[in-house]
Amino acid sequence: MTSLEIELQPVERIYGGGMFFGFEHADAVFAFFHEWTSRVPETMTSSVGMIGYPPIPVFPEPLRGRHVVHVRFATTDLADGPELVRPWRDVAPTLLEHVGELPYSEAGSIYREPNFAHYYDGNSVLLSELNPQVLTAVRELAGADAPVSCIVDLRHLGGALSRSPKVANAVSFRDAQYILRVLSSPEGIELSDVRATHERIDEAVADWTLGRAPNFVYGRRDADDFRSELYEKAVLDRLSSLKAVYDPANVFRRNQNIEPTV
């Protein structure tokens, strides 16, 4: 890649934030997320996360030592945003809420991620739909009782991402409606145990999996890991042909490598 050309949207403020629920309400939160995302306009983007917080002062007091479900929202529709989010307050009692209008420059605050360095191993799968069996598998295999502590991030896709661009590019699996990311810290745990836990989740949602997202592969991986799962065949064939023209010796290979066509 030698250059990027990006078309920006004129957005100064957004309506967004999130709500934290106790893990005991995970079933209700996941079920409502499924129903709610099926009907909201594409001006609203959202995700639901699941994480266990250690009991340390760096985190807000209501979350310390608890396994929680965190629903996140963002919309450019300042007028309708509050009403779109309002039904979430009836799903279950919230532990903490941070929702309101904010400058676009503060959009990164919506996820409330820690501001210190942390290392994870993990992966993602792109889902054709959010079947109830997917939600059950995520709650049971990556929830509070998982053998390895997991951080879950389930994001709603669709919208402009689902539409073909004017100029062909390397994005695959545009039919995916959701992306499921599962991460774990390998500190003090065998990496094989971490990946075995993640593989069980992958197997449980395999019937609804279209592929994986190359931007969400974490940890040290071999160059050919997941190659056939990161791109649709037609896209991979095109990229391999381009690689043969611009990098026939495969100099740029320290990544999820695409080998040049021989």
Side-chain angles (χ1 to χ4, degrees):
M1 185 181 298
T2 58
S3 66
L4 282 173
E5 191 171 304
I6 301 172
E7 183 178 355
L8 301 178
Q9 299 295 324
V11 175
E12 294 184 0
R13 300 186 68 79
I14 59 175
Y15 183 86
M19 299 178 185
F20 288 91
F21 301 88
F23 178 74
E24 64 272 19
H25 302 296
D27 278 346
V29 172
F30 281 168
F32 189 72
F33 182 76
H34 182 201
E35 187 271 326
W36 184 77
T37 53
S38 69
R39 58 180 170 81
V40 292
E42 64 178 49
T43 51
M44 170 67 76
T45 185
S46 61
S47 66
V48 59
M50 191 164 57
I51 183 174
Y53 283 98
I56 56 178
V58 70
F59 299 112
E61 192 277 332
L63 309 181
R64 294 176 199 163
R66 296 197 62 152
H67 211 94
V68 303
V69 182
H70 184 200
V71 185
R72 292 76 63 112
F73 324 92
T75 179
T76 54
D77 189 340
L78 300 181
D80 291 342
E83 183 58 26
L84 289 171
V85 169
R86 183 199 56 75
W88 277 100
R89 296 188 174 92
D90 299 326
V91 175
T94 58
L95 299 172
L96 185 68
E97 182 178 324
H98 56 101
V99 182
E101 192 174 317
L102 66 159
Y104 179 77
S105 58
E106 296 179 15
S109 68
I110 290 175
Y111 269 64
R112 290 294 176 101
E113 293 183 333
N115 60 0
F116 52 85
H118 44 294
Y119 164 67
Y120 294 109
D121 192 89
N123 213 321
S124 67
V125 290
L126 292 159
L127 302 172
S128 59
E129 61 174 292
L130 203 54
N131 187 283
Q133 292 181 51
V134 171
L135 298 173
T136 299
V138 170
R139 178 180 55 78
E140 293 180 352
L141 299 176
D145 299 324
V148 170
S149 179
C150 295
I151 297 173
V152 172
D153 180 35
L154 181 61
R155 300 185 183 187
H156 186 206
L157 303 178
L161 183 63
S162 66
R163 295 191 280 272
S164 298
K166 296 176 183 177
V167 179
N169 58 33
V171 177
S172 295
F173 310 113
R174 289 184 180 274
D175 291 340
Q177 296 300 302
Y178 298 86
I179 181 171
L180 171 65
R181 297 191 305 148
V182 181
L183 312 176
S184 297
S185 170
E187 288 189 29
I189 309 172
E190 292 292 332
L191 183 58
S192 58
D193 293 336
V194 169
R195 293 188 174 175
T197 297
H198 296 175
E199 286 170 7
R200 283 193 288 272
I201 299 168
D202 287 352
E203 291 169 1
V205 303
D207 288 346
W208 302 276
T209 296
L210 300 176
R212 299 182 188 270
N215 289 344
F216 297 104
V217 178
Y218 303 86
R220 293 183 178 180
R221 304 283 183 172
D222 292 335
D224 59 350
D225 278 359
F226 314 117
R227 181 187 296 147
S228 63
E229 300 173 63
L230 295 173
Y231 302 97
E232 292 166 319
K233 186 179 185 305
V235 173
L236 183 58
D237 289 347
R238 175 173 170 265
L239 294 176
S240 295
S241 298
L242 289 170
K243 191 76 174 283
V245 174
Y246 296 105
D247 183 21
N250 201 21
V251 173
F252 295 99
R253 60 184 183 276
R254 301 299 183 186
N255 49 23
Q256 300 304 123
N257 189 236
I258 296 174
E259 296 179 345
T261 301
V262 178

